[in-house]
């Protein structure tokens, strides 16, 4: 059954704008209000952090100077943090992407702001934080070491075998790890998790082939090792939307079959 949405019907008998605003807020769906407030707070915090990087030295700068310096200085700051704390930085980056991806997935499934599943969003955030970010860091570092130092594949075309290995090993391993992490966080039985894995493995591989080979031409052909996860995470906003939707759909199917 769909959740009843409260209809905003503010009283127009009062001429007090503040009282009118209070009545409108009271009439809002509480979940929609909470979800919107969280997103606005996060967006405002991030925007403030990005734009205040040159606060102490940027007084008197023109708009053009700020437009040039702010992105460059934020990029330099990111790389400094990445150099000093690579695993933690990549974990936070992936957590952010997986959160955005799951919100997009839920919205694309037809959920309104008040219907967003906050526990599901939190699970995706944790999957990126404790799973994808750290594991991807070690994958890109180790795989590059194998191709460069062991196999001595450094020619311009070496990105081709790297893509093949990525798509046949790391891709399926992480997809199934994602399903496993979500299942464990939901305290599902191992049989249910295994059912979800079986249902999503092949479809996710097929879906990935539509996106990742082309994206990884850039990943393995142009992007330095230390910045590969950032590029992949940018692409993954689209991929996580597919992944989260598939995971939710597989779980729903498994639950229906058990009910039958």
């Amino acid at each position: 059954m769909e959740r009843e949405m409260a209809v905003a019907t503010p009283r127009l008998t009062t001429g007090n704008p503040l009282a009118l605003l209070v009545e409108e807020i009271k009439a809002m769906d509480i979940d929609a209000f909470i979800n919107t407030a969280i997103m606005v707070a996060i967006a405002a915090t991030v925007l403030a952090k990005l734009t205040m990087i040159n606060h102490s030295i940027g007084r008197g700068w023109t708009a053009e100077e700020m437009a040039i310096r702010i992105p460059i200085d934020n990029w330099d700051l990111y790389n400094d943090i990445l150099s000093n704390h690579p695993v933690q930085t990549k974990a936070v980056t992936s957590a952010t992407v997986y959160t955005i991806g799951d919100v997009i997935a839920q919205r694309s499934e037809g959920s309104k702001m008040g219907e967003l599943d906050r526990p599901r969003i939190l699970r995706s955030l944790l999957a990126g934080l404790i799973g994808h970010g750290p594991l991807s860091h070690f994958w890109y570092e180790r795989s590059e070491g194998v191709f460069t130092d062991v196999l001595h594949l450094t020619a311009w075309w070496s990105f081709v075998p790297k893509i093949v290995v990525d798509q046949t090993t790391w891709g399926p391993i992480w997809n199934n790890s994602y399903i496993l992490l979500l299942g464990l966080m939901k305290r599902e039985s191992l049989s249910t998790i295994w059912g979800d894995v079986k249902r999503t493995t092949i479809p996710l591989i097929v879906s990935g082939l539509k996106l990742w080979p082309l994206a990884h031409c850039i990943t393995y052909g142009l992007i330095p090792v230390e910045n590969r996860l950032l590029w992949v995470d940018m692409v993954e906003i689209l991929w996580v939307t597919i992944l989260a939707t598939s995971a939710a759909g597989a779980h729903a199917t498994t639950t229906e079959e058990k009910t039958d």
Side-chain angles (χ1 to χ4, degrees), residues 252-260:
T253 303
T254 302
T255 303
E256 289 175 3
E257 288 185 352
K258 286 192 171 185
T259 302
D260 294 339

Side-chain angles (χ1 to χ4, degrees), residues 24-87:
E24 290 179 352
I25 293 175
K26 288 180 178 179
M28 288 180 65
D29 176 80
I30 186 63
D31 285 324
F33 179 78
I34 292 174
N35 292 338
T36 302
I38 291 173
M39 291 185 181
V40 170
I42 293 173
T45 302
V46 171
L47 184 62
K49 288 290 185 181
L50 292 176
T51 56
M52 294 297 287
I53 186 171
N54 292 319
H55 176 68
S56 60
I57 62 174
R59 294 173 183 172
W61 283 6
T62 65
E64 290 79 7
E65 289 173 327
M66 292 179 64
I68 295 173
R69 291 304 313 173
I70 287 176
I72 293 175
D73 291 340
N74 274 292
W75 176 250
D76 291 340
L77 177 62
Y78 171 81
N79 280 300
D80 287 342
I81 297 173
L82 180 64
S83 177
N84 294 323
H85 308 284
V87 177

